[in-house]
Each structure stands twice: as structure tokens, then as C-alpha cells.
Amino acid sequence: MCFSMLAAYCIFYKLVVIMDIILQQNSDDDQVEDLLDIAFGVDRHDKASYTLRRNVDAIDSLSFIVKNRSSLIATLRFWPALVKDEPLLLLGPIAVLPELQGQGIGIKLMLHGLMEATRQGHKRVLLVGDESYYKKVGFSRDVVKDIVLKGEADQNRLLGQELIKGSLRGLKGTLKNISG
């Protein structure tokens, strides 16, 4: 999906869901971890996608939250990763309080993050998730069919999006943690 399509989606979703997306601060860490435990369980660190986050910090300028007064209601982070020596972003985890899911908060949060990643000059983003949901914001299995995530039982859950057209073309190999 190109930047102009992302902008069009954002315009639509701004009309549907009015919310303030802000950068995550260190003081939000405990609330973020609590929300992620609620959304994915305390065993979430055993998932293949978490091996890409071990000993690596999320990108501060691409770590977002949504609050309702002082309560955290949603979170999204991006992480640096590699295929061969080519840098890319790993989107996730993204989580919304269960009682607020289905209201467009997660979609708007992802669109905001993807637009900001594009603005910051990133070329491509990968994630692990259900294509039926993430295709709403432009993710596809087709563009990453030659990329593998070790330990992921269902490689069809590895999805990608080109923030710059053609940036995933010809990219083959194993998705790796940047710390080696």
C-alpha cells in the first residue's frame, strides 16, 4: 500500500474514531505490559515473533499508546529487524482493551504508525498475524512469501507491506533479530 492510500484510510477512520494517539513514555511501560498480558497472555514471550524482540529496544519514535484519561486503552510498537542485511520494521504487538475492540481503534493506531514510519523514511514492515484482519491496512502474504520466521508454525501468518513500492521485491531469507 502506498502512502496516499494510507492517508485516505486515515481520513476515513478519523471520521469514525476520534482519539489521541501519543508516543509511549517510560512511565507507561507497566500499563503497556499489563495490557499485552491481557491481550496475549503471560506466555506471549514464547511466541516466535518475540525472538525478534529479545535484547532489542522498540523504536521510541514508533511506539504509540492511546489513553482514556489516565488509563491505557491501546498500544502499538515497531521494532527493527533484518532479512539478510536489509533493515525493516516489525509491527507489533498491537493491543486494544478487549471491551473496546471492534471500534476501529486498532486500525487507526496501525494507520497512524504506518504513516509515521513512512514519514521517518522506513521502506517496509512485517508482522505476524491473520491476513484477513491486517489486509485492511495493506498487509499481504504475497510480498513476503520468500521470507521465513524460524519457529513460526504457520508461515502464512508472516505478512508484509511495502511503504515504498518495490522495497520487498526480491527480498529472500530468514527474518532475524538485529542483535544477532
Side-chain angles (χ1 to χ4, degrees), residues 121-148:
H122 296 280
K123 297 178 183 177
R124 50 196 160 239
V125 182
L126 273 63
L127 63 78
V128 178
D130 296 323
E131 188 172 20
S132 61
Y133 176 72
Y134 290 101
K135 71 181 178 184
K136 297 174 187 176
V137 292
F139 283 88
S140 167
R141 174 68 187 145
D142 291 341
V143 295
V144 293
K145 62 182 181 291
D146 294 326
I147 298 174
V148 174

Side-chain angles (χ1 to χ4, degrees), residues 155-172:
Q155 293 296 315
N156 288 321
R157 291 177 48 79
L158 183 61
L159 310 174
Q161 182 176 148
E162 296 176 328
L163 300 178
I164 296 177
K165 189 173 175 92
S167 62
L168 285 167
R169 190 176 314 126
L171 195 57
K172 298 177 183 182

Side-chain angles (χ1 to χ4, degrees), residues 20 46 54 64 76 118 149 165 167 180:
D20 289 326
D46 297 334
R54 285 196 188 113
F64 304 102
L76 169 66
T118 301
L149 173 56
K165 189 173 175 92
S167 62

Side-chain angles (χ1 to χ4, degrees), residues 13-171:
Y13 278 100
K14 272 191 181 172
L15 297 174
V16 176
V17 180
I18 305 298
M19 62 184 194
D20 289 326
I21 298 171
I22 59 175
L23 285 173
Q24 179 182 328
Q25 303 299 313
N26 290 338
S27 59
D28 301 313
D29 288 352
D30 289 342
Q31 285 187 48
V32 166
E33 291 302 312
D34 290 346
L35 176 56
L36 294 173
D37 285 347
I38 291 167
F40 299 106
V42 293
D43 63 341
R44 64 190 158 86
H45 296 277
D46 297 334
K47 296 182 181 198
S49 60
Y50 271 85
T51 63
L52 300 169
R53 300 179 185 116
R54 285 196 188 113
N55 302 315
V56 177
D57 291 328
I59 300 169
D60 289 340
S61 63
L62 292 172
S63 295
F64 304 102
I65 59 170
V66 178
K67 284 189 172 183
N68 179 8
R69 297 185 183 92
S70 63
S71 297
L72 184 82
I73 63 170
T75 181
L76 169 66
R77 296 179 187 165
F78 289 82
W79 305 75
L82 296 169
V83 171
K84 301 216 183 243
D85 292 326
E86 292 292 324
L88 53 85
L89 294 175
L90 178 68
L91 183 153
I94 179 169
V96 177
L97 280 175
E99 61 269 24
L100 298 175
Q101 292 175 1
Q103 298 181 27
I105 296 168
I107 295 290
K108 184 172 181 208
L109 188 53
M110 280 189 290
L111 291 170
H112 175 85
L114 291 166
M115 285 187 65
E116 186 58 26
T118 301
R119 191 188 69 73
Q120 291 181 24
H122 296 280
K123 297 178 183 177
R124 50 196 160 239
V125 182
L126 273 63
L127 63 78
V128 178
D130 296 323
E131 188 172 20
S132 61
Y133 176 72
Y134 290 101
K135 71 181 178 184
K136 297 174 187 176
V137 292
F139 283 88
S140 167
R141 174 68 187 145
D142 291 341
V143 295
V144 293
K145 62 182 181 291
D146 294 326
I147 298 174
V148 174
L149 173 56
K150 285 187 181 176
E152 177 57 43
D154 183 358
Q155 293 296 315
N156 288 321
R157 291 177 48 79
L158 183 61
L159 310 174
Q161 182 176 148
E162 296 176 328
L163 300 178
I164 296 177
K165 189 173 175 92
S167 62
L168 285 167
R169 190 176 314 126
L171 195 57

